[in-house]
Amino acid sequence: MSNYQEIISQYRPLLEIIVYGSAVALILIGLYAVLVKKHLVKLVIGLSLIDSGVNLLFVGVGYVTNHTAPIFSPGFETAADKMVDPVPQALVLTAIVIGFAVTALALSLVIRLYRHHKTANVEQLNRLRW
Amino acid sequence: MTGNWLIELTGIVLTALLAFTVGMFYGGLRRKVIARAQNRVGPPVYQNFLDLLKLQGKTTNVTHGLMTHLAPVWVLVAAITALLFIPVLHGGLWFPNFTFKGDLIFLLYLMVMGSLGMALGVGETGNPNGAIGVSRGLSLITGYEIPFVLSLVAIMIQFHTTSLTDLMHYQQATGHWIARENPFAFLAALFSVLGMFHYSPFDIIGAPAELASGPMSEFGGKYLGSLMTGGSIFAFVKLVLITDLFLGGAGHPDAYTGAAGVLLGLVELVIKTFLLYMIPVSIGIVMPRFRTEQAVRFFWRWPLLFGALGIIWAVFWK
Amino acid sequence: MVVSPVHLIAAPLAAAFLIPLLNKLYRDAARVVPGVVFLYNLSVSWILVNRVFRSGPIVEVIAGWKPPFGINLVMTPFSAVLVMLVSFMAFVIWLYGFRFKRSLKGGVVMYYEILQMMMAAGSLGIILTGDLFNMFVFVEITGITAIALTAFYRDRDGAEAGFKYMLLGSMASVFLLLGILLIYTQTGSLNMAQIAERMPAVATGVKVTALIFLLISLGTEAEMFPLNGWAPDAYSQAPSPTSAAFAAVLGVAAIYALARVGFTLYDHGTVSGFLIAMGFLTMLFAEMAAITQTNLKRMLAYSSMGQMGLAMIAFGIGSEAALFGALFLIINHAIIKSLLFMTGSYFIYNLNDKRLRALNGIHKRLPYVSFLFALGALAIVGFPPFSGFWSKFYILTAAGAKQMMPLIIGILAVTVIEMTYYLRVIGRIYFAKEESEPASHKPSIQALVAMTSLAVLIIVLGLYPDLIAGFLHRASMFLLDKQTYIQTVLHLS
Amino acid sequence: MGIIYVLGILIIGALAAFFVDDLNRKWTGPVAMLAGFGAAAAFAFLPGGIVRWRILGFSMHWETDALAGFFAWIVLGLSALALMYSVKYMEGKARQGYFYASFLTSVAGMFGVAVSKDLLSFFIFWEIMTWTSFLLAIYNAYYGVETKGIKYIIFSAIGAYAMLTAIVLALGQYHSLEFSDLMAAGAFRFSSGNWYIPVLLLLGFAVKAAVLPLHVWAPAVYPKTPMSFTAVFSGAMSKMGILGMLLILTGIFRSATGWELTLVRWVLGWLGGLTAAWATLQAIRQNDAKDLLAWSSVAQLGYIVTAVSTGTRLGLMAALYLALLHAAFKGSLFMVAGAVEKQAGTTDFRRISGLIKRMPWTFLTALIAIISLAGIPPLGGFVGKWLLYESLISETHAYFLVILIFFASTSAFLYSYRFLFGLFLGQEEEEAKQITEVSWWMLIPMLALSAVSVVTGMYPGLIFRPAARALESIGLPAGQWDMSILSNVWGNQTDVFTVGSTVGILFVLWALFITFKGKKNTRWLTTKEISTSGEIPAPEDNCTFQRGFFQPFERAVGRLYRSSMDQLWEDIGAALEAFFGFIRKIYTGNAQTYAMYVIIFVVLLILFRNYIF
């Protein structure tokens, strides 16, 4: 255990760059897809990517070196100050679930749209405007 | 001026008679003058009296309805009422009538009353020429009334009164005619007088050749007689009004008292009004008829300018 | 019976999950149960509102984690008023939609009722929650249910509107998450009271960036100007009771969240100018778009956006009178716009045509509904003696107290536009020659009761606004009083 | 408590009329009429008193002082008569419940405006009267709604919201909305530093009083409203604007530093004069009696506005006098138009003529009202004109303005005559033979209103005295007023009683003479038997001169007629709507664009965060 933590603390700057960098990259890639791509499914994928990026960001922020998982179990009742805050993780878990739900909903909408319009081009979906 | 209603009534009747007589004679004179100018012999001066006698003597009358029936009454009543509110002679016992009970603005409005009544009567006859004449006449009113009002307003503000009696009194007291005190206002009023008399070039209402004498065409007998009477009185009213306003009026109760004063005053009045009357008459001899819009526009140009100058003059004269 | 704010959220959620089961037992359970739940909610919120106004805010701790840890519900006078409003409107809308799609059996109606209940629950959650985490969750719950409801009719337009809503809603949720993340990294807490306490210590740059993210996300829900592309589509394509609910339930929650962020998490002064400016732009663009609409429900949707803009302006002005006006406006908007959507959808139901020109002379066929629509239109424009006048007047008074003449003139100029198109519709309804064939969908008795009660409220509040003035004054004062909020929530620990 | 009773009777009457209409249509009108007369009676016999109450922390204050009483009488009296007229006028028309409910509510609004002593209740009643009158304005048909009714409501809204702006600013500044408090604080003075408060308020009132650039709604809406309400619309509702002006300008009149009064006299006075002249010119060219009357109303209001702007003893008296008298004669004229419309089906001069024999009483009303309108002695209208001119000449020295007014009122003879000629004179149409006189239910209100003109022609003091009390109640010097002698500041007098009796006596005398002279032989002709055409026109021919009646005049005025304020506003409206149509294209309907907006918005906010937050 100590070995593992030492390694991590040694490479922590790198790790941070990797985690945060990939999170930002994911968000940007997702944004690119959402804003530029024309295919509905690609838009949905873009949204998914953004979601993942944000979640990753959250996980990264919530991590605290040398803390344990926030689980109260017999013998560990007083360990609250050594635990990481459970809230971000709960939030991320919820966000992932919600993201899943949204993606599912989005895909079902895409299917329906394709059925009605015979196209998946977002630019042709502007019957409702002005 | 007096509490004695009998004297007042006598005065009213006398004034009306005087106005009637003078007005009728002026009408006859006009016909004579025009005839002479055109190198004709013309009717005698008293021809109008003969015409009136004939008209009133007719017994068969037709009428188109109540308004037509009453139209001559309107005209006559308007003329007489206007006469009663104008001081025919300055001071004295007989001829000032109701002057102290009406001022210039009132007179202005009173003078339209007859025309409106006439217009209503004409309207009812259903004669299109009559209606055309009314339309022209009303348009013409908007023309000449404006310079006239301008000149009246000029005088009112110059002398701080709207009362005709006060104006006459001022002219008598100072000996200066208002025509001299405010020449522009006088000029504007003179132009308006041209329009008021509906003589050529402003004879567009009757327009003998076009409209078969227009408004008058459906009237005959007693109606035409009343109209003539009213018209004659009204002509005299207009002349007296201008005389009183600008030419010093007539009568010098301070200089001459009693019957002699009245008589002298009347003579003065007749001379002044006659000379005034000759202006529209003589212009009428030489000028051909305007079209309505030309006539209206004529009044909205120079006369209007003179009127405005009159007001400016009045403002700075003080 | 001991009640707590949890019931307000738990009851509809539980009922929503139970409905499929109950529907197996009793065929019309899906129709009846929501009513029971909403009635229960209404009575609970009535008790709670009384308790809040009598003895101060209620802080409800969930699962034993005391604030600032864990999750908790806070019911201040400000949220209490809105909870009451949302509960009431949810009930009325259920009543109105009782015979919704009565020709269809089971399934479809069940989904509709479930979604409506979920949306109400989510909205109540947004209003009641004391921490950002739950706010996020509830925003998402309402968002997803709202999207699903938007696409409820399985036609192409519904799907299109749903997709747009989905896209913008997801982006909003991303920004909400980012905002929460930033705040969390700086203050180390998700509890709003604690964040508010610690916020002054946070570096300005990060603070403002977080604020921007929060404003963007909540602004999307609250139909702020450049972010509201979804709104007209969603309002116009959703089923009619849902459109009413968008205005009366979702909109209330969204504007609450915006106010909570602006007033409690941050200082009011920070967001004041922004809210006024964006509120005015929202109002301006919405009304300009509304006047040229040819579709009744789109017109009403744009008008809703305009009202939200006005509410934002009021929150931006931020004086006590302005908040009073804002609260009153939110209440009026919920009541009147619901009435308009309800009556308007009966027109559409009868005509099978959403276009305005189809409305010509409809009053002959639906005299009572037309009358209610006209009443609502006059009220929402702000003609006295209807309730809409007082809210607008109070907001203007607040602006007048600060001598904001351009703003007043701007608001009123926009109101002229608003008035124009509403009165045009009234003109059409009453005075145009009718064009289309008569249909025979008379309103159901439940819908009539629902609409009439709203109309009565409009008139009663218009003639006697003092009825609720006391509550609103307390509520608006409490919103301004940040310290009390912090202390009330945190002193529990 | 009289105020409460009056309002209560009107509101209950409105509700009753609305619901009675569903039960039995026959009773709707009588119920409304009862409410109208009941309200007037309640106002007459119960002490008005003071009503104060608070709503949302604002105090409301209603009181019937002399000024409120004066205007309340215009409102209630005219409305009661109009409601009586309505009973038969509206017979057989649809949606009477709607009509009468709006009518009575509108009357309640007007009454409320008259008795309000604080700006908030003033505004509330003002708005009530506005939207109810809008409902009435669109009663007749939808065809006008898009442009005409909407025009009314837009202009009203602009005016009302200008007022509202002033109200909230005044509240923010002075923390009170009572007229008396604001007046004491000098809120209505241009020199107070908050010059925009009186300006905005005056703008609001100017819309209702149809002052020049804002007048276009009136000629559009008056003819389209049912005539029984137009009588009130033009007769009473527009006077509320005059009342407002009086209330606002009192402070300036009372404690005038020179330039404020001069400003009012110049701007408001000239606007009023221009309104009068312009509207008169427009009225002259109308071919429909209702349009003509509508424009004439605008013109008459122009006089009143000018009269108010003088702020002098004669001028203010002229304003109040004309306000009441205009209500009387324009009310009866609109009723005449309504009567003709009901009996003949149209009021277009080109389609009917010669109704005098068919509707003699209606003609009599029209005649009296028109003479009064034209200001010809000896009827009441002359007195108002006299006061106005004397005030402008002798008190405010507005010499060129008086010329303008004079031009307007001289030109008014043209349309006055046109109205009478167009409907009642000229040759009779063959179809018009079946037309009959209207019911006495309609005639009595018309004749009653005409009687006002006749009586005031001889005894204008009947109006002067309450009007003088009204002026004194707002602290303006009104002075002594004789029963029938008018006198200006120079002491020149006009005795209208003498005038009236002289004219009357002479008229009767000569009328008797001309009637009885050769009476036996008088033959009454039809309008077809005219001498100059040389032959009697065939029954189907109609020689009446109706088209282009004042063409020579129009040619004389010329270029002025080519410009149109209405067109200007409509162009502005169209341009705005086109602009809105362009603006809404930002909602492209493309989901991606919306997403792009979000991102751009975020980026902008982050870039400029230091300036925004």
Side-chain angles (χ1 to χ4, degrees):
Chain A
M1 180 180 168
S2 60
N3 192 22
Y4 164 70
Q5 280 184 345
E6 268 170 27
I7 293 168
I8 287 182
S9 57
Q10 197 178 341
Y11 290 104
R12 190 181 165 92
L14 186 63
L15 206 59
E16 277 184 354
I17 289 172
I18 290 171
V19 171
Y20 292 135
S22 51
V24 170
L26 275 173
I27 293 176
L28 288 181
I29 292 168
L31 264 182
Y32 170 78
V34 168
L35 295 179
V36 179
K37 288 294 170 190
K38 299 298 173 204
H39 198 278
L40 288 177
V41 176
K42 288 182 182 168
L43 259 67
V44 176
I45 293 172
L47 280 181
S48 237
L49 282 176
I50 299 177
D51 254 1
S52 315
V54 175
N55 289 342
L56 190 54
L57 210 56
F58 240 98
V59 174
V61 168
Y63 179 76
V64 183
T65 321
N66 287 333
H67 280 45
T68 63
I71 302 167
F72 289 102
S73 47
F76 286 89
E77 282 91 349
T78 55
D81 51 343
K82 292 291 275 181
M83 289 176 185
V84 295
D85 193 344
V87 176
Q89 279 147 22
L91 198 58
V92 166
L93 276 176
T94 322
I96 289 170
V97 173
I98 289 171
F100 169 71
V102 170
T103 312
L105 188 63
L107 284 174
S108 73
L109 286 175
V110 169
I111 291 169
R112 199 180 288 164
L113 279 172
Y114 185 74
R115 267 191 209 144
H116 284 300
H117 290 259
K118 302 291 173 217
T119 173
N121 187 341
V122 69
E123 286 189 334
Q124 291 180 13
L125 299 180
N126 57 357
R127 243 170 70 93
L128 303 171
R129 57 184 168 174
W130 302 338
Chain B
M1 275 204 181
T2 62
N4 193 333
W5 62 271
L6 201 64
I7 295 182
E8 277 190 15
L9 197 66
T10 321
I12 290 170
V13 173
L14 273 180
T15 320
L17 279 177
L18 173 82
F20 169 69
T21 322
V22 177
M24 293 295 267
F25 261 114
Y26 282 180
L29 265 172
R30 171 170 171 259
R31 290 166 84 168
K32 191 82 184 167
V33 169
I34 292 174
R36 297 307 305 164
Q38 291 167 346
N39 218 359
R40 292 186 279 120
V41 178
V45 179
Y46 51 84
Q47 180 61 41
N48 275 6
F49 288 100
L50 299 181
D51 289 351
L52 187 65
L53 269 179
K54 181 197 76 179
L55 288 172
Q56 295 289 11
K58 281 187 174 179
T59 49
T60 45
N61 292 309
V62 288
T63 182
H64 281 89
L66 192 65
M67 287 317 291
T68 319
H69 182 71
L70 290 178
V73 184
W74 282 71
V75 173
L76 196 77
V77 168
I80 295 180
T81 315
L83 181 70
L84 292 184
F85 286 84
I86 289 175
V88 177
L89 287 187
H90 180 242
L93 200 58
W94 284 3
F95 294 106
N97 303 324
F98 292 135
T99 44
F100 54 96
K101 284 179 176 164
D103 66 357
L104 281 173
I105 304 255
F106 163 71
L107 272 177
L108 264 176
Y109 268 91
L110 193 62
M111 287 166 72
V112 219
M113 187 174 133
S115 319
L116 191 78
M118 176 75 189
L120 289 173
V122 171
E124 206 192 2
T125 62
N127 189 323
N129 285 341
I132 292 171
V134 168
S135 153
R136 293 174 168 201
L138 289 172
S139 308
L140 192 62
I141 286 183
T142 60
Y144 65 73
E145 202 82 326
I146 303 306
F148 191 54
V149 172
L150 276 167
S151 76
L152 283 191
V153 169
I155 300 170
M156 288 178 204
I157 59 184
Q158 190 165 354
F159 299 100
H160 286 282
T161 180
T162 59
S163 155
L164 201 47
T165 320
D166 290 355
L167 288 173
M168 282 175 78
H169 188 73
Y170 170 84
Q171 297 182 74
Q172 298 278 336
T174 58
H176 299 314
W177 288 2
I178 292 177
R180 173 178 163 276
E181 303 278 12
N182 194 338
F184 292 114
F186 179 56
L187 218 52
L190 270 188
F191 276 116
S192 308
V193 168
L194 295 185
M196 275 185 210
F197 274 96
H198 306 313
Y199 294 160
S200 181
F202 302 106
D203 57 342
I204 47 179
I205 298 173
E210 291 167 49
L211 298 181
S213 76
M216 299 284 206
S217 55
E218 289 296 325
F219 292 91
K222 61 184 175 186
Y223 301 115
L224 194 55
S226 290
L227 282 179
M228 259 185 86
T229 315
S232 302
I233 296 178
F234 202 55
F236 182 69
V237 166
K238 288 181 260 191
L239 292 173
V240 173
L241 178 64
I242 300 296
T243 313
D244 285 355
L245 274 176
F246 294 101
L247 304 177
H252 298 272
D254 310 331
Y256 314 98
T257 49
V262 172
L263 214 60
L264 268 173
L266 285 180
V267 171
E268 187 188 351
L269 184 71
V270 168
I271 294 171
K272 279 181 181 169
T273 48
F274 178 75
L275 290 174
L276 191 62
Y277 185 60
M278 278 305 118
I279 297 174
V281 169
S282 47
I283 287 177
I285 294 169
V286 292
M287 295 279 282
R289 183 154 67 228
F290 274 145
R291 273 186 286 131
T292 313
E293 64 267 23
Q294 287 170 332
V296 174
R297 285 202 166 174
F298 169 80
F299 286 115
W300 287 349
R301 282 195 195 117
W302 290 106
L304 202 65
L305 180 71
F306 286 131
L309 282 177
I311 285 187
I312 292 165
W313 174 285
V315 171
F316 291 107
W317 181 83
K318 284 180 281 189
Chain C
M1 182 182 157
V2 183
V3 290
S4 84
V6 186
H7 294 214
L8 290 172
I9 305 166
L13 276 182
F17 291 119
L18 283 178
I19 281 182
L21 288 178
L22 293 173
N23 219 27
K24 292 264 189 298
L25 302 176
Y26 172 54
R27 208 163 50 87
D28 270 346
R31 290 187 194 277
V32 179
V33 171
V36 177
V37 172
F38 285 138
L39 205 57
Y40 173 73
N41 256 11
L42 194 55
S43 43
V44 168
S45 58
W46 175 244
I47 296 169
L48 290 177
V49 164
N50 276 326
R51 198 188 292 168
V52 167
F53 277 99
R54 211 173 38 245
S55 50
I58 302 170
V59 180
E60 181 75 17
V61 179
I62 305 210
W65 290 74
K66 289 181 177 167
F69 301 108
I71 54 179
N72 54 344
L73 300 181
V74 183
M75 197 164 175
T76 64
F78 179 64
S79 39
V81 168
L82 296 183
V83 162
M84 186 74 206
L85 175 69
V86 168
S87 306
F88 175 72
M89 288 314 298
F91 177 70
V92 172
I93 289 167
W94 165 78
L95 193 62
Y96 170 77
F98 184 74
R99 306 289 291 274
F100 178 65
K101 296 286 170 215
R102 67 188 145 183
S103 53
L104 299 179
K105 291 255 181 322
V108 180
V109 177
M110 188 177 79
Y111 295 138
Y112 160 78
E113 295 289 1
I114 290 174
L115 289 171
Q116 285 280 79
M117 281 171 79
M118 298 268 290
M119 193 161 82
S123 299
L124 285 169
I126 295 175
I127 297 173
L128 283 172
T129 183
D131 58 317
L132 286 177
F133 174 79
N134 272 307
M135 183 183 274
F136 170 72
V137 174
F138 285 123
V139 164
E140 287 305 309
I141 290 177
T142 39
I144 291 175
T145 48
I147 293 164
L149 279 169
T150 304
F152 183 76
Y153 292 132
R154 302 177 175 183
D155 55 355
R156 59 195 287 173
D157 290 348
E160 188 187 325
F163 186 78
K164 284 174 196 167
Y165 195 177
M166 198 275 308
L167 192 66
L168 289 184
S170 314
M171 294 187 68
S173 77
V174 166
F175 283 114
L176 187 54
L177 263 183
L178 283 175
I180 293 174
L181 179 75
L182 276 180
I183 287 178
Y184 181 74
T185 54
Q186 297 302 311
T187 61
S189 172
L190 286 175
N191 185 291
M192 291 207 265
Q194 199 167 31
I195 295 170
E197 197 185 17
R198 293 180 185 171
M199 199 54 113
V202 178
T204 319
V206 186
K207 198 163 83 172
V208 167
T209 312
L211 176 63
I212 290 172
F213 287 153
L214 288 178
L215 286 178
I216 292 285
S217 62
L218 297 174
T220 309
E221 301 295 334
E223 302 158 29
M224 192 185 278
F225 160 54
L227 319 170
N228 54 10
W230 61 271
D233 299 356
Y235 273 96
S236 59
Q237 295 312 317
S240 300
T242 308
S243 307
F246 279 173
V249 175
L250 199 58
V252 172
I255 202 83
Y256 167 85
L258 208 55
R260 185 54 84 198
V261 168
F263 281 81
T264 305
L265 295 192
Y266 288 83
D267 279 330
H268 158 251
T270 322
V271 290
S272 168
F274 176 78
L275 279 183
I276 292 179
M278 291 324 294
F280 181 68
L281 284 180
T282 308
M283 201 174 160
L284 180 67
F285 281 90
E287 302 292 12
M288 286 200 296
I291 195 173
T292 43
Q293 290 304 315
T294 53
N295 175 326
L296 177 65
K297 284 185 85 172
R298 275 184 89 79
M299 191 196 90
L300 291 176
Y302 279 114
S303 159
S304 287
M305 287 150 62
Q307 297 288 319
M308 297 303 258
L310 187 54
M312 281 177 224
I313 294 177
F315 280 116
I317 295 170
S319 62
E320 200 255 323
L323 293 185
F324 177 89
L327 269 175
F328 208 154
L329 178 72
I330 292 172
I331 293 173
N332 279 333
H333 175 58
I335 296 174
I336 303 171
K337 196 48 66 68
S338 303
L339 180 62
L340 286 174
F341 272 118
M342 287 173 179
T343 48
S345 63
Y346 260 105
F347 295 150
I348 294 168
Y349 185 36
N350 271 286
L351 298 165
N352 275 322
D353 193 344
K354 288 180 177 178
R355 285 175 309 161
L356 283 173
R357 49 180 301 194
L359 292 177
N360 289 359
I362 186 125
H363 89 108
K364 280 189 187 137
R365 266 178 278 151
L366 296 169
Y368 189 63
V369 177
S370 307
F371 174 75
L372 292 181
F373 184 90
L375 183 74
L378 288 176
I380 203 152
V381 174
F383 280 115
F386 306 116
S387 56
F389 167 71
W390 291 109
S391 49
K392 206 164 262 182
F393 181 69
Y394 234 96
I395 292 171
L396 291 173
T397 309
K402 297 197 171 182
Q403 296 291 309
M404 298 170 166
M405 188 155 69
L407 179 66
I408 296 172
I409 292 175
I411 292 175
L412 290 175
V414 175
T415 309
V416 173
I417 303 177
E418 189 186 13
M419 170 185 297
T420 309
Y421 62 79
Y422 271 116
L423 292 183
R424 272 185 190 169
V425 176
I426 293 186
R428 271 186 194 287
I429 290 174
Y430 276 95
F431 304 102
K433 287 216 172 66
E434 47 191 315
E435 288 170 354
S436 43
E437 289 293 304
S440 54
H441 301 299
K442 294 288 175 211
S444 66
I445 187 77
Q446 290 88 348
L448 276 183
V449 170
M451 294 190 289
T452 309
S453 58
L454 293 183
V456 167
L457 258 184
I458 291 172
I459 293 173
V460 167
L461 288 185
L463 292 177
Y464 190 60
D466 292 295
L467 194 65
I468 55 168
F471 292 107
L472 299 191
H473 272 298
R474 290 270 305 278
S476 45
M477 276 186 319
F478 199 85
L479 182 60
L480 282 175
D481 193 356
K482 192 157 114 181
Q483 291 311 317
T484 315
Y485 179 84
I486 295 171
Q487 272 157 24
T488 326
V489 176
L490 293 185
H491 270 210
L492 267 177
S493 49
Chain D
M1 291 308 285
I3 296 173
I4 299 292
Y5 284 116
V6 173
L7 286 175
I9 290 172
L10 288 171
I11 297 297
I12 290 169
L15 291 175
F18 192 77
F19 291 113
V20 165
D21 191 48
D22 285 340
L23 302 176
N24 188 346
R25 174 149 294 180
K26 248 184 2 199
W27 288 103
T28 322
V31 163
M33 185 187 101
L34 271 182
F37 277 101
F43 186 66
F45 296 119
L46 297 174
I50 301 172
V51 181
R52 281 175 190 277
W53 53 292
R54 295 181 71 79
I55 185 165
L56 276 189
F58 300 106
S59 63
M60 304 281 219
H61 178 192
W62 306 339
E63 191 179 334
T64 50
D65 58 5
L67 185 71
F70 189 83
F71 280 92
W73 267 120
I74 296 181
V75 169
L76 293 177
L78 184 60
S79 305
L81 291 174
L83 280 163
M84 182 175 172
Y85 172 90
S86 237
V87 173
K88 287 287 171 186
Y89 174 72
M90 296 299 291
E91 205 174 37
K93 293 201 181 173
R95 297 198 301 277
Q96 293 198 23
Y98 167 96
F99 174 80
Y100 284 112
S102 308
F103 196 135
L104 286 169
T105 318
S106 190
V107 175
M110 282 183 263
F111 177 75
V113 169
V115 298
S116 291
K117 288 288 165 243
D118 66 300
L119 269 173
L120 181 60
S121 42
F122 191 94
F123 178 78
I124 290 176
F125 282 121
W126 184 274
E127 282 286 78
I128 291 175
M129 120 192 150
T130 302
W131 65 257
T132 46
S133 59
F134 166 72
L135 292 181
L136 289 163
I138 57 178
Y139 170 86
N140 258 338
Y142 181 65
Y143 58 82
V145 171
E146 284 285 347
T147 53
K148 296 199 167 70
I150 282 297
K151 203 182 284 174
Y152 168 52
I153 203 70
I154 288 177
F155 274 94
S156 293
I158 290 171
Y161 288 154
M163 252 166 84
L164 188 53
T165 311
I167 289 172
V168 294
L169 289 173
L171 185 67
Q173 195 82 12
Y174 302 101
H175 308 291
S176 169
L177 288 176
E178 288 266 336
F179 275 120
S180 51
D181 293 352
L182 290 172
M183 195 70 77
F188 301 142
R189 303 284 297 277
F190 299 128
S191 55
S192 69
N194 301 318
W195 53 270
Y196 42 81
I197 290 175
V199 167
L200 286 169
L201 285 171
L202 285 176
L203 181 67
F205 301 139
V207 171
K208 213 37 122 193
V211 176
L212 191 56
L214 308 168
H215 67 284
V216 293
W217 61 270
V221 153
Y222 286 165
K224 301 288 174 224
T225 315
M227 284 297 123
S228 56
F229 186 71
T230 311
V232 179
F233 210 155
S234 146
M237 195 180 292
S238 51
K239 302 308 179 319
M240 296 301 129
I242 305 297
L243 171 66
M245 286 184 187
L246 265 178
L247 287 173
I248 296 306
L249 293 175
T250 308
I252 291 175
F253 293 154
R254 213 160 39 186
S255 52
T257 56
W259 67 270
E260 284 177 293
L261 192 57
T262 315
L263 193 70
V264 169
R265 280 177 183 169
W266 274 92
V267 176
L268 209 55
W270 273 93
L271 277 179
L274 287 172
T275 311
W278 175 254
T280 304
L281 288 180
Q282 292 296 330
I284 289 169
R285 74 201 296 219
Q286 299 306 319
N287 278 318
D288 190 299
K290 295 197 263 181
D291 294 336
L292 187 150
L293 288 179
W295 277 108
S296 151
S297 294
V298 178
Q300 297 287 328
L301 282 163
Y303 299 139
I304 302 178
V305 168
T306 306
V308 169
S309 77
T310 60
T312 56
R313 175 175 165 272
L314 283 176
L316 289 175
M317 181 55 78
L320 286 184
Y321 183 89
L322 278 174
L324 197 149
L325 214 68
H326 177 244
F329 63 67
K330 196 51 65 65
S332 62
L333 279 178
F334 274 117
M335 287 181 187
V336 165
V340 170
E341 183 196 22
K342 186 168 177 61
Q343 303 301 103
T346 177
T347 51
D348 192 327
F349 296 139
R350 290 163 300 190
R351 292 176 54 200
I352 43 167
S353 56
L355 290 178
I356 179 169
K357 291 200 179 63
R358 311 280 148 231
M359 308 174 74
W361 291 104
T362 311
F363 173 73
L364 178 67
T365 320
L367 181 66
I368 293 174
I370 280 288
I371 291 177
S372 192
L373 179 148
I376 293 170
L379 294 191
F382 163 71
V383 178
K385 291 270 163 65
W386 192 90
L387 291 171
L388 177 57
Y389 293 132
E390 298 285 353
S391 149
L392 288 176
I393 293 171
S394 66
E395 288 181 328
T396 66
H397 309 295
Y399 307 129
F400 288 99
L401 179 57
V402 81
I403 303 301
L404 187 67
I405 300 275
F406 211 100
F407 169 70
S409 77
T410 309
S411 308
F413 296 145
L414 273 69
Y415 71 71
S416 301
Y417 180 71
R418 184 81 205 279
F419 180 82
L420 289 176
F421 179 75
L423 292 181
F424 295 102
L425 306 177
Q427 296 189 343
E428 231 176 316
E429 292 275 358
E430 199 60 18
E431 307 88 76
K433 290 264 163 65
Q434 295 90 315
I435 293 173
T436 52
E437 181 60 280
V438 287
S439 141
W440 282 101
W441 283 92
M442 289 163 78
L443 278 177
I444 288 172
M446 282 151 64
L447 290 170
L449 286 173
S450 310
V452 174
S453 290
V454 176
V455 172
T456 53
M458 301 274 269
Y459 299 104
L462 291 175
I463 295 180
F464 290 157
R465 293 191 177 159
R469 277 202 298 279
L471 288 178
E472 270 158 11
S473 74
I474 49 172
L476 295 168
Q480 287 297 310
W481 288 89
D482 195 84
M483 188 48 97
S484 56
I485 295 176
L486 318 171
S487 56
N488 68 4
V489 288
W490 295 327
N492 307 127
Q493 293 182 333
T494 293
D495 181 356
V496 286
F497 178 76
T498 312
V499 175
S501 40
T502 312
V503 171
I505 291 168
L506 285 173
F507 195 87
V508 171
L509 284 179
W510 206 264
L512 288 175
F513 168 75
I514 211 160
T515 309
F516 288 108
K517 181 176 178 298
K519 182 168 184 285
K520 277 182 197 151
N521 301 317
T522 303
R523 187 165 65 89
W524 295 76
L525 301 177
T526 70
T527 48
K528 301 279 168 154
E529 297 174 85
I530 50 177
S531 63
T532 42
S533 51
E535 55 181 329
I536 293 178
E540 67 274 12
D541 291 342
N542 193 328
C543 309
T544 311
F545 174 42
Q546 292 283 32
R547 282 168 207 275
F549 195 80
F550 285 119
Q551 223 170 30
F553 182 80
E554 287 175 29
R555 277 204 294 268
V557 175
R559 203 171 305 136
L560 261 182
Y561 271 129
R562 253 171 272 153
S563 52
S564 159
M565 199 68 72
D566 205 23
Q567 196 57 46
L568 177 71
W569 286 114
E570 266 171 23
D571 289 348
I572 290 176
L576 274 179
E577 201 136 339
F579 174 68
F580 297 159
F582 174 71
I583 285 292
R584 74 172 177 150
K585 298 233 155 83
I586 55 170
Y587 293 104
T588 54
N590 186 336
Q592 253 177 338
T593 322
Y594 295 159
M596 193 69 91
Y597 290 160
V598 175
I599 299 302
I600 291 172
F601 191 50
V602 173
V603 171
L604 282 179
L605 283 185
I606 290 179
L607 283 180
F608 295 105
R609 63 185 169 195
N610 293 336
Y611 306 103
I612 296 173
F613 297 102

